[in-house]
Amino acid sequence: MKAILFDLDGVITDTAKFHFLAWRELGAELGIEVDEAFNEELKGVSRIDSLERILVQGGVADQYSSAEKDAMCVKKNAHYLELIKSITSAEPLFVGGQPRSTRPAPANIRSQEESELPAPHLR
């Protein structure tokens, strides 16, 4: 084996549908509808900020403590991780059978501490 490729942000395999399904289930447990249109507003948004938007959508943003919100985020992520286990090697590597970009993205390795900074090639 010459290389291992990690897709941590859904560029190679589209994982957005799994985030949607996990948010939709958590929303349903809270009595809040998370439909595909609303889910579009959550793309590219952090987990906690997505949860906050969902709670605002349901009119219950002030009903939960920070600890409860953190627990909800952990629960959502656990469900997401279960859902992505269903991805197989037969899943398309490109959305719609087409590459997402005609130009390969530069390789970039960043630590958690650097996650708030733009990638070096974007600075």
Side-chain angles (χ1 to χ4, degrees):
M1 183 181 314
K2 293 186 179 187
I4 297 174
L5 181 62
F6 294 93
D7 178 18
L8 302 177
D9 60 359
V11 171
I12 297 171
T13 299
D14 187 6
T15 55
K17 65 184 175 184
F18 300 107
H19 284 288
F20 164 62
L21 294 172
W23 281 127
R24 184 175 68 181
E25 181 171 304
L26 181 65
E29 290 175 15
L30 299 170
I32 303 168
E33 181 180 0
V34 177
D35 61 17
E36 290 184 39
F38 179 71
N39 183 64
E40 289 297 313
E41 297 177 29
L42 305 180
K43 289 184 177 178
V45 177
S46 72
R47 194 175 304 139
I48 191 67
D49 288 341
S50 292
L51 175 62
E52 291 288 353
R53 291 180 186 200
I54 291 167
L55 296 176
V56 167
Q57 170 85 356
V60 295
D62 58 347
Q63 294 182 16
Y64 298 97
S65 69
S66 292
E68 289 171 316
K69 291 175 184 178
D70 288 344
M72 287 181 214
C73 286
V74 168
K75 183 175 185 173
K76 178 271 177 185
N77 199 53
H79 186 217
Y80 165 77
L81 292 174
E82 280 300 312
L83 291 169
I84 64 171
K85 286 180 181 178
S86 68
I87 297 174
T88 67
S89 60
E91 292 282 328
L93 294 181
F94 303 99
V95 175
Q98 298 295 318
R100 286 187 162 193
S101 171
T102 57
R103 184 176 137 230
N108 186 19
I109 300 173
R110 297 169 42 182
S111 69
Q112 176 113 14
E113 293 78 30
E114 296 174 310
S115 65
E116 295 300 318
L117 300 174
H121 62 277
L122 298 176
R123 290 184 192 154

